[in-house]
Every structure is written in C-alpha cells, then in structure tokens.
Amino acid sequence: MDATIYHNPRCSTSRKTLDKLKEAGIEPTVVKYLDTPPSRAELKRMIEAAGIPVSKAVRKREALYSELKLDGASDDQLLDAMAANPILIERPFVVTDKGVRLARPIESVDDII
C-alpha cells in the first residue's frame, strides 16, 4: 500500500502514528512538512478528502495563530496562513490509497490502512 505521512518528528502524536503505520506493515513516505510543506492547493485537497473543516486542520494552540489574529478567520484566510506558515498545520495527515485522515485521534487512520 502506498502511504504518505505529513510528519513532525518532534510531535508525539505524529511519531506514534508513524509507528502505527509501520506496525501495520506499511513503510510510508515521510514528508517533514515543516521542511517541505504542502502547497495551499494540496493542503485544501487533503482537508477536503479527510472530510474535516479547515478550522480543525489548523493548530490553534500555536502562538502564531493568536499573533496573526486568526480567530474567526475564513477558510481561505486559514488556508493562506497555513500555506505561508506550515507550523499552523495540525499533524499528522496520513494519505493512503484508501483515503486521507488527520490522525487526531491516532485511531482515525485505522479505516485507511
């Protein structure tokens, strides 16, 4: 199975999700999204494919979220902010042949692996 994880090695949820994929026999492509962020269009496609609102895909606990005054921002404004500042992207996103999930909770990837 082809799989990609948009990964931050400093995030415990991201590390646990990567471990879960490997335990399932999947050796995913690992994209360190802070170094190689998805484009705005890729990000929008992943969020739509995951079936979640844009507001769920943004890290509201990041100081930058407050600094940029994103509370109450539109989907387009949030996507622009995440594309320009990948630290604002919630993690990890997992993409497989069966679909896309934001692994929060980690078990949400079970139906695509």
Side-chain angles (χ1 to χ4, degrees), residues 42-54 57 79 82 93:
E42 290 170 316
L43 187 59
K44 184 176 181 184
R45 277 193 299 274
M46 284 192 302
I47 293 167
E48 288 174 352
I52 60 173
V54 174
L79 285 166
M82 287 187 284
F93 272 94

Side-chain angles (χ1 to χ4, degrees), residues 1 5-6 48 70 73 83 94 102 104 107 109:
M1 166 183 287
I5 181 171
Y6 289 83
E48 288 174 352
L70 293 174
V94 176
L102 174 60
R104 289 192 175 264
E107 295 76 24
V109 300

Side-chain angles (χ1 to χ4, degrees), residues 39-113:
S39 69
R40 185 189 189 281
E42 290 170 316
L43 187 59
K44 184 176 181 184
R45 277 193 299 274
M46 284 192 302
I47 293 167
E48 288 174 352
I52 60 173
V54 174
S55 61
K56 187 173 178 183
V58 66
R59 292 186 56 80
K60 295 177 180 80
R61 295 183 314 271
E62 284 296 329
L64 188 58
Y65 180 87
S66 296
E67 290 170 23
L68 294 175
K69 297 178 174 52
L70 293 174
D71 197 34
S74 70
D75 287 355
D76 282 334
Q77 291 169 320
L78 291 174
L79 285 166
D80 289 343
M82 287 187 284
N85 306 282
I87 192 70
L88 292 172
I89 300 171
E90 189 62 91
R91 66 215 178 222
F93 272 94
V94 176
V95 180
T96 73
D97 301 333
K98 295 181 180 181
V100 179
R101 295 291 180 272
L102 174 60
R104 289 192 175 264
I106 295 169
E107 295 76 24
S108 66
V109 300
D110 288 348
D111 60 336
I112 62 165
I113 60 174

